[in-house]
Amino acid sequence: MTLRLGSTPSDIAQAAALLRAGGLVAFPTETVYGLGADATDAQAVARIYAAKGRPAFNPLIAHVATIGAARREGVFDALAERLAAAFWPGPLTLVLPLAAGASVCELARAGLSSVGLRCPSHPAAQALLKAAGRPIAAPSANRSGHVSPTEAAHVMGDLAGRIDAVLDAGATEVGIESTIVGIAGGRLLLLRPGSITRAQIAAAAGAAVETADGSDAERPASPGRLAAHYAPATPVRLEAREVRAGEAFLAFGDAAVPGLSHARAVLNLSQKRDLTEAAANLYAYLRRLDAAGASAIAVAALPRTGLGEAIVDRLRRAATTETFEE
Ligand code: TXA
Ligand code: MG
């Protein structure tokens, strides 16, 4: 049985008690819903992997209520301090060297000597983290291989019966996962693009942002970037200029393309070409078109600058048919 909770103080207290007892609670953040467990408890963290059906252990992000709590887990250099001051609480994850005496368990870090830390701004997430009083490990609250949930109903569709509770606070605002920046040896590495753009990171840090190129032979820098992570079941065709027979169409801006009238289904990420609106709609629309029984989902071209970098990154992964041992 999965409890459906709201975000009243008593619901938050109940959710926090479940987390402290080693349970699994899905909760909203400003990006997507996360599947939370006590990050200091390896057994609780193991339940996350089991519920998601992940084929292997990925490092998870540890969520904290304050920068003070984050400093107990990761080593903050000047760059990390600047980025946290500029963007926390908010949709930025910092991957930092593990601090001495850190409480996040090894399983949550997948054995790495670094830790992914995020201080979310969503009021329900903030309240839950404060009430739990410890770092909460939380990947996106979807079954492995599915797109991330932006509504509690998506979480229930994927995980009902496999988790203890879901805290429902409506649709999430940003709609795509946090920007992930790795900091090591005074260098900034963009591990996953997100709603906080590369240019915003560089400006706040006063330093160049390098791109993770996966050249680290030993481990991919951020395994969750691996392609098939976000794929719907229906094939996805990118930069479509027309709708082919049997296809559904995911438009951006002007939807008037050849073949539109015989599309199986049509949704527009943003009629007015607003990338923020497009990000917020992305996963819910992919889910809806995935259910349309189309031969493929044709997706219109989007700009690749600013927030477009993150949206195009997620669409590319939705389009790949490669599978990975994650
Ligand atoms: O917006 C978000 O970030 C959402 C919400 C729930 O916070 N969470 C999320 O988690 O997207 P997940 O597990 O789907 O993606 C976490 C990413 C993965 O790509 C993982 O590899 C990376 O963070 N990551 C976490 N810790 C890491 C570490 N120590 N080193 C490298 N990558 C790390
Ligand atoms: Mg995910």
Side-chain angles (χ1 to χ4, degrees):
M1 253 292 286
T2 299
L3 263 174
R4 267 195 109 116
L5 299 170
S7 46
T8 64
S10 76
D11 284 354
I12 296 284
Q14 197 178 348
L18 284 168
L19 286 171
R20 283 197 303 267
L24 295 184
V25 178
F27 63 96
T29 77
E30 64 278 20
T31 58
V32 301
Y33 275 73
L35 177 56
D38 181 348
T40 70
D41 175 350
Q43 281 200 38
V45 171
R47 288 190 194 111
I48 291 181
Y49 296 113
K52 283 186 63 104
R54 281 202 174 175
F57 297 153
N58 256 349
L60 303 176
I61 297 170
H63 297 68
V64 291
T66 62
I67 186 169
R71 287 198 195 97
R72 291 195 283 276
E73 306 299 326
V75 178
F76 279 68
D77 65 1
L79 291 171
E81 289 290 351
R82 267 179 242 149
L83 291 180
F87 301 114
W88 279 2
L92 172 70
T93 296
L94 295 175
V95 174
L96 303 178
L98 192 68
S103 68
V104 173
C105 70
E106 188 154 16
L107 182 59
R109 295 181 277 108
L112 300 175
S113 55
S114 58
V115 60
L117 293 164
R118 167 154 135 72
C119 177
S121 62
H122 194 292
Q126 274 286 327
L128 182 64
L129 292 168
K130 286 200 174 100
R134 63 195 67 178
I136 298 300
S140 50
N142 52 278
R143 292 291 290 270
S144 186
H146 291 191
V147 299
S148 295
T150 55
E151 296 171 21
H154 300 160
V155 177
M156 289 300 267
D158 265 21
L159 298 171
R162 305 172 72 93
I163 64 176
D164 296 295
V166 59
L167 212 153
D168 185 351
T172 60
E173 192 187 324
V174 177
I176 56 173
E177 304 81 353
S178 61
T179 304
I180 305 182
V181 175
I183 305 180
R187 291 169 63 200
L188 292 180
L189 206 57
L190 185 64
L191 298 176
R192 181 174 71 185
S195 64
I196 295 174
T197 63
R198 181 192 290 273
Q200 288 175 299
I201 299 285
V209 180
E210 300 168 48
T211 302
D213 59 3
S215 64
D216 180 353
E218 244 190 303
R219 287 171 191 277
S222 188
R225 298 203 66 200
L226 294 181
H229 203 70
Y230 297 91
T234 310
V236 172
R237 187 168 70 81
L238 298 180
E239 303 197 15
R241 291 197 187 79
E242 76 289 316
V243 183
R244 298 177 187 161
E247 285 184 336
F249 186 49
L250 186 58
F252 180 73
D254 183 9
V257 298
L260 186 74
S261 59
H262 59 239
R264 281 293 177 99
V266 180
L267 289 171
N268 199 330
L269 285 171
S270 173
Q271 193 110 41
K272 53 180 194 276
R273 299 182 65 84
D274 174 356
L275 288 169
T276 304
E277 183 183 16
N281 287 332
L282 181 67
Y283 288 134
Y285 285 10
L286 281 175
R287 280 173 186 269
R288 278 164 63 183
L289 295 182
D290 199 15
S295 57
I297 301 169
V299 184
L302 277 91
R304 286 155 193 254
T305 50
L307 184 49
E309 182 177 7
I311 300 172
V312 170
D313 170 77
R314 303 308 191 277
L315 282 168
R316 274 212 210 98
R317 283 188 267 166
T320 188
T321 52
E322 286 174 80
T323 52
F324 291 86
E325 280 298 310
E326 270 194 39

